[in-house]
Amino acid sequence: MTTKRTHIIGAGIAGLSAALAVTREGGEAVLYEASPRPGGRCRTVHPSDAFSHDNGTHVLFTANRRTMKLLKAVGARDRWVEPEKKGLPIYDLRTGAMRRIGLSPWSWLWPSRRPRGLGIADLTRIMRLAFPLQECSVASIIGDRPIMDNLIGPLTIAMLNTPPNVASAKRLALALRHLLWPRAGRLLIAKNGLSGDLVQPAVETLQARDVPILTGQRLRSLITQGERVVGLSLTDRAIALGPEDQIILALPPYEIERLLPTLPVPQRFEAILNVHFRLKGFEKPRFIGCLGALTQWLLVRRDHVSVTIAAAEAMMHANADDIAAIVWREIAPVLRELGLDVSIDSQPEARVVKERRATIRQAAMPLPQPPVRPLANLALAGDWIGALPTTIESAVASGEEAVAALRNAPAAGASIIRHPASRREDAA
Ligand SMILES: Cc1cc2nc3c(=O)[nH]c(=O)nc-3n(C[C@H](O)[C@H](O)[C@H](O)COP(=O)(O)OP(=O)(O)OC[C@H]3O[C@@H](n4cnc5c(N)ncnc54)[C@H](O)[C@@H]3O)c2cc1C
């Protein structure tokens, strides 16, 4: 008797999502992960000195329909909480003023929730941004308006991790349109952290479904015969695949390029920088946006404060201590404004996490995209597959879509189909 097993390589969110989708209806899956733990770019760091923090703050929106469904399926929806129910506090470091804004245009019916500088002409521009007729940069639609500094710029960097002067309006629009629904713009964070509130519940659900999760197993190469994969060469083992077996590579583009060099993949990435300060914060987390500073977002937890600086390529080579010192000088007044007893002259212990390839660069041009199922029994997943902004939501969606692509595969082999947008974007 031959088995039908789906071998999923990469236990980030895309791989976990694929494994949940395969096993939801009784299918059999095995996960292989190169690093010692599942989670990929969503992880909580647990150093020996007990100063635990996420690699970087991750936020979700209630509009992230697929992720909300996944969280419910693994029993973790209530672990994602809305820290700022009354609107997102924005602190302008240039003026020292703090005000709350709504992220959904519906909330702007209340003048107190409107972003500073929002005028009637901006509403037209924002609608054009949500429904762009052609691909162009976000900045080319919004122009040099106060709303760019106060809302659209920070939102673009948060959602696309790409500066607005190059960021794709079409990609941003896919996320913005979801925020147009009432209550869709509620911003959520993990109550205790990414591992405990997302990765571990997914892992436990998979374990309850008898899915082996083999860590420390890097896929070195694929063994192919014609248009099928017939074997996997991993860190310490080789696996011969049965005729019914299927493979999902839930990996970043550079790994796909190494394993399947003929496929077109995005070549350019953007960095995210995170600084974590160890200090006594609040029992209930707070989440604040900052304007006019390096610091973009600030998450205050019970025992630390995390700062996010996205699209941070220019800072990647800066000295970590220097970065922490600059960021502390910026955020100390904000923390004081929130009611914490901190001093600008007394910086707490800090940890700087540099994610050099945090996401692909989501520029206003056709990005190289491989077919979802480039070989007869192999499909691709990962946040960078498809047209959505590269986030947890796109990772979840890609895992489910890879499973669907294999389920719908014709019995005979398929050939490698070139995607129309297969030119390399370094030409830009
Ligand atoms: C600092 C930071 C902040 C972010 N903030 C947000 C946010 O606020 N909201 C949001 O929605 N998203 C955010 N993101 C993006 C989000 O983390 C990613 O979109 C998502 O985690 C990608 O999941 P993935 O499974 O596609 O890829 P990955 O997480 O990269 O998973 C790939 C996995 O494959 C493994 N692997 C690689 N090569 C091999 C191999 N050869 N064999 C076996 N295993 C291999 C890797 O170890 C990894 O575990 C952020 C990302 C970063 C870095």
Side-chain angles (χ1 to χ4, degrees):
M1 195 184 89
T2 59
T3 56
K4 180 172 179 175
R5 195 170 287 153
T6 306
H7 300 263
I8 300 165
I9 324 295
I13 301 305
L16 293 169
S17 158
L20 287 164
V22 168
T23 52
R24 194 163 43 222
E25 282 147 29
E28 210 182 308
V30 189
L31 265 165
Y32 306 89
E33 166 57 46
S35 71
R37 254 163 249 102
R41 277 170 278 159
C42 279
R43 62 185 187 280
T44 305
V45 182
H46 294 286
S48 53
D49 63 3
F51 178 12
S52 301
H53 51 78
D54 289 341
N55 58 327
T57 301
H58 281 60
V59 304
L60 292 173
F61 290 100
T62 37
N64 296 149
R65 196 175 47 82
R66 303 240 204 178
T67 311
M68 293 301 118
K69 222 167 132 196
L70 181 143
L71 288 172
K72 272 190 200 136
V74 302
R77 173 61 187 88
D78 61 354
R79 300 191 199 178
W80 285 73
V81 294
E82 188 180 10
E84 303 296 342
K85 291 197 169 101
K86 294 183 192 148
L88 190 61
I90 302 287
Y91 187 94
D92 191 330
L93 272 101
R94 294 161 297 195
T95 60
M98 173 104 83
R99 68 178 283 157
R100 287 183 186 268
I101 62 160
L103 288 178
S104 156
W106 296 98
S107 57
W108 301 342
L109 292 171
W110 286 268
S112 62
R113 294 285 186 91
R114 284 179 203 151
R116 205 168 50 82
L118 179 80
I120 296 289
D122 296 314
L123 292 177
T124 321
R125 286 184 163 90
I126 289 171
M127 284 315 280
R128 274 178 52 213
L129 192 57
F131 298 94
L133 296 176
Q134 61 194 30
E135 184 58 292
C136 57
S137 73
V138 170
S140 70
I141 293 183
I142 299 297
D144 187 16
R145 309 266 308 168
I147 196 72
M148 174 57 106
D149 285 344
N150 296 337
L151 178 72
I152 302 297
L155 207 60
T156 304
I157 289 177
M159 288 181 161
L160 299 187
N161 188 27
T162 305
N165 59 327
V166 289
S168 156
K170 281 209 157 176
R171 211 176 264 259
L172 185 66
L174 289 173
L176 289 184
R177 287 204 287 272
H178 288 287
L179 291 181
L180 293 178
W181 296 99
R183 298 185 65 72
R186 290 169 58 205
L187 183 148
L188 308 175
I189 56 136
K191 206 182 334 185
N192 305 298
L194 291 167
S195 294
D197 297 339
L198 172 58
V199 178
Q200 197 50 31
V203 165
E204 282 164 15
T205 305
L206 291 171
Q207 283 167 341
R209 295 178 188 174
D210 292 328
V211 176
I213 302 178
L214 308 177
T215 52
Q217 291 297 331
R218 179 165 193 258
L219 178 65
R220 292 185 189 285
S221 58
L222 293 163
I223 301 149
T224 55
Q225 213 167 68
E227 290 173 344
R228 297 188 71 80
V229 181
V230 294
L232 305 175
S233 167
L234 292 144
T235 297
D236 66 4
R237 65 195 76 185
I239 293 175
L241 302 182
E244 298 277 304
D245 282 354
Q246 300 184 318
I247 302 97
I248 293 175
L249 300 183
L251 300 174
Y254 44 88
E255 278 297 274
I256 298 302
E257 185 174 45
R258 182 180 67 76
L259 293 159
L260 295 164
T262 59
L263 293 183
V265 297
Q267 301 288 324
R268 297 188 65 173
F269 297 84
E270 287 284 348
I272 301 183
L273 189 74
N274 306 275
V275 189
H276 308 276
F277 294 98
R278 194 176 198 173
L279 56 84
K280 193 166 170 348
F282 302 117
E283 274 313 307
K284 280 194 175 168
R286 299 289 318 266
F287 188 79
I288 292 104
C290 292
L291 299 176
L294 269 183
T295 301
Q296 293 158 358
W297 305 101
L298 199 66
L299 173 63
V300 187
R301 288 193 181 278
R302 192 175 344 109
D303 54 2
H304 67 276
V305 170
S306 297
V307 170
T308 305
I309 304 170
E313 198 53 48
M315 312 232 8
M316 278 301 111
H317 301 292
N319 174 281
D321 290 341
D322 294 345
I323 294 171
I326 294 170
V327 169
W328 178 252
R329 280 199 295 279
E330 287 182 349
I331 68 165
V334 191
L335 297 175
R336 286 186 71 82
E337 175 81 19
L338 293 174
L340 287 180
D341 183 17
V342 296
S343 155
I344 202 164
D345 301 318
S346 167
Q347 183 203 307
E349 177 187 349
R351 203 61 64 61
V352 175
V353 180
K354 294 177 178 176
E355 295 269 8
R356 285 175 197 282
R357 293 189 283 195
T359 66
I360 59 165
R361 172 175 250 232
Q362 298 161 79
M365 58 179 305
L367 295 185
Q369 279 278 318
V372 172
R373 189 170 58 84
L375 292 169
N377 61 343
L378 178 143
L380 303 179
D383 63 348
W384 57 281
I385 304 274
L388 286 175
T390 60
T391 57
I392 293 175
E393 178 74 355
S394 65
V396 171
S398 74
E400 294 172 348
E401 279 156 20
V403 174
L406 289 172
R407 192 182 298 132
N408 301 332
S415 53
I416 295 187
I417 313 151
R418 286 226 169 268
H419 192 276
S422 63
R423 74 189 169 92
R424 297 174 98 83
E425 85 265 37
D426 354 37

